[in-house]
């Protein structure tokens, strides 16, 4: 969280006091740092310099148009999984030829939209999808660019919900069936086989799972080339973890030095699909204490952000560091930080030592740049807060807070 610092006992994002944003824009709200986004992107870009590569930012981690546009202007492509994410990416000005499309359930309508847009590659996850893609491409008189997403069956040592590279998972084409799938793909007239793809999971903090997976993918790549497949790229997915608490994730440099020796001999373009590594620690969620409640059994800081704003703690038991925006140095007490939603699973933190809080105090929930706004909802009819992008001493609202009219848009009595 390098761009979020304490100055004179007050938290800043770059050169802007977070309290100023909370005051002007309201809470809850998400605040992103331009410098942090660019630093992570550029670290990774630099770590792969000397090998032809394209960093396709994973839109599902943070789909804000301003974020996509910023990264795209610095050369990034996008990794998408739906028509909506493609729509967003194009609206943000991302060139279609820098977009790769993964996902186990692309509908015909989504396939058509992506074919018409002219994306770089469909990361195809099953044989029925190959067939559908061939049919739709034929109807449009186009050839669909294809990579097969191969499931290498490796353990990624992450939360079971975010592991995607084991054979039990729904993702990709089983490793054992890969050659057969390529042979089948080659038989379709309207497909152009361009590459190979894998993605083994998310929030991975050691390099062994990547190495195991990429060795298997590299073997397959070589076998396929020997069989005459003209593979132009190898897409290695995302998955690089970040520090939420005391993890020691890989740096871009460490990751690159572990995987480059496996990938460089392939002599092809490398595509990366990082999401969290770029956006995770580039954002925070600002929230205000509604009141501090003591039940005799536990202490609760009830805040104005809930599981509808940030579902990661409820869904994965995820840890997000929480800091008071104004460090008051007062005595700390153990408390749960909870939202206003009518579920006991609505918590942002449990058993946290924080200064005794009172109504109106501001809290900063760290590491909320990835899978936070994008996973938010209107549960309990709560309008979402704004998204704000900071750049040096300046900041701007890049998505306004929702209004109550937004909440009922499209509904009828
Ligand atoms: N590529 C594909 C095909 C993916 O499915 C994903 C993430 C990524 C790239 C980016 O992964 P990253 O670099 O961000 O790890 N909601 C969960 C994370 C789900 C990730 C899903 N796929 C969370 O909040 O932890």
């Amino acid at each position: 969280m390098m761009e979020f610092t304490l100055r004179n006992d007050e938290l800043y994002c770059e050169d802007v006091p977070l309290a100023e944003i909370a005051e002007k824009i309201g809470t809850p709200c998400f605040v992103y740092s331009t410098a942090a986004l660019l630093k992570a992107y550029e670290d990774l870009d630099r770590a792969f310099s000397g090998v032809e590569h394209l960093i396709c930012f994973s839109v599902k981690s943070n789909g804000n148009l301003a974020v996509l546009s910023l990264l795209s202007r610095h050369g990034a492509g996008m990794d998408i999984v739906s028509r909506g994410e493609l729509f967003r990416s194009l609206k943000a000005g991302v060139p279609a030829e820098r977009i790769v499309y993964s996902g186990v359930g692309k509908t015909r309508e989504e396939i058509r939209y992506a074919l018409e847009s002219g994306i770089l590659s469909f990361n195809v996850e099953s044989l029925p999808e190959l067939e559908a893609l061939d049919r739709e491409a034929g109807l449009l008189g186009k050839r669909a660019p294809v990579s097969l997403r191969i499931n290498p069956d490796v353990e990624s040592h992450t939360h079971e919900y975010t592991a995607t590279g084991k054979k039990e998972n729904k993702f990709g084409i089983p490793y054992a069936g890969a050659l057969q799938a390529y042979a089948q793909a080659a038989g379709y007239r309207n497909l152009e086989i361009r590459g190979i793809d894998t993605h083994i999971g998310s929030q991975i903090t050691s390099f062994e799972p990547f190495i195991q997976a990429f060795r298997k993918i590299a073997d397959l790549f070589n076998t396929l080339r020997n069989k005459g497949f003209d593979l132009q790229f190898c897409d290695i997915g995302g998955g690089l973890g970040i520090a939420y608490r005391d993890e020691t994730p890989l740096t871009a440099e460490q990751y690159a030095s572990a995987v480059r020796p496996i990938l460089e001999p392939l002599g092809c373009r490398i595509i990366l699909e990082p999401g969290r590594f770029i956006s995770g620690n580039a954002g925070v969620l600002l929230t205000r204490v509604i009141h501090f409640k003591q039940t005799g059994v536990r202490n609760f800081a009830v805040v104005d952000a809930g599981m509808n704003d940030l579902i990661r703690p409820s869904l994965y038991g995820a840890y997000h560091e929480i800091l008071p925006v104004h460090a008051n140095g007062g005595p700390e007490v153990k408390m749960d930080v909870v939202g206003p939603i009518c579920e006991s699973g609505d918590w942002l933190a449990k058993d946290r030592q924080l200064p005794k809080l009172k109504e109106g105090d501001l809290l900063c929930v760290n590491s909320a740049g990835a899978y936070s706004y994008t996973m938010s909802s209107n549960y309990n009819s709560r309008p979402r807060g704004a998204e704000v992008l900071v750049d040096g001493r300046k900041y701007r609202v890049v998505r306004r807070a929702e209004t109550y009219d937004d909440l009922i848009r499209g509904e009828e009595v």
Side-chain angles (χ1 to χ4, degrees), residues 82-102:
S82 67
R83 175 171 176 165
E85 289 189 353
L86 179 51
F87 174 71
R88 259 179 196 290
S89 304
L90 297 174
K91 281 279 179 210
V94 182
E97 63 275 11
R98 284 197 229 141
I99 296 177
V100 295
Y101 187 179
S102 308

Side-chain angles (χ1 to χ4, degrees), residues 34-201:
T34 300
L37 287 162
L38 288 182
K39 181 176 184 311
Y41 171 76
E42 279 161 2
D43 280 354
L44 205 51
D45 196 35
R46 206 172 317 108
F48 280 82
S49 65
V51 50
E52 195 193 341
H53 66 279
L54 177 66
I55 297 179
C56 290
F57 175 63
S58 198
V59 174
K60 67 176 84 63
S61 76
N62 188 320
N64 188 282
L65 290 186
V67 171
L68 304 187
S69 157
L70 173 76
L71 293 169
S72 170
R73 280 180 277 125
H74 285 78
M78 299 296 150
D79 155 54
I80 60 154
V81 289
S82 67
R83 175 171 176 165
E85 289 189 353
L86 179 51
F87 174 71
R88 259 179 196 290
S89 304
L90 297 174
K91 281 279 179 210
V94 182
E97 63 275 11
R98 284 197 229 141
I99 296 177
V100 295
Y101 187 179
S102 308
V104 293
K106 305 175 184 84
T107 65
R108 300 297 164 100
E109 183 261 329
E110 289 184 302
I111 289 174
R112 276 197 294 279
Y113 179 65
L115 278 168
E116 277 163 352
S117 309
I119 62 169
L120 174 61
S121 182
F122 287 85
N123 292 338
V124 172
E125 307 221 13
S126 66
L127 300 179
E129 185 187 336
L130 264 185
E131 197 184 322
L133 192 52
D134 178 67
R135 185 155 352 116
E136 293 306 325
L139 289 172
L140 290 177
K142 291 187 186 284
R143 293 194 82 200
V146 166
S147 297
L148 297 193
R149 173 168 175 182
I150 305 302
N151 182 329
D153 191 26
V154 299
E155 180 58 63
S156 51
H157 306 294
T158 179
H159 192 283
E160 63 165 319
Y161 288 1
T162 59
T164 56
K166 286 290 285 175
K167 61 174 185 285
E168 303 73 55
N169 301 132
K170 67 179 173 180
F171 298 97
I173 291 168
Y175 192 79
L179 289 178
Q180 177 63 33
Y182 271 91
Q184 186 168 330
Y188 288 114
R189 290 224 321 269
N190 308 307
L191 303 184
E192 182 187 317
I193 301 168
R194 289 197 180 166
I196 192 165
D197 167 54
T198 196
H199 169 75
I200 58 171

Side-chain angles (χ1 to χ4, degrees), residues 30-32 57 61-62 279-284 366-373:
F30 288 88
V31 181
Y32 309 129
F57 175 63
S61 76
N62 188 320
S279 56
N281 274 337
V284 299
N366 279 352
S367 311
Y371 306 109
S372 297
Y373 196 96

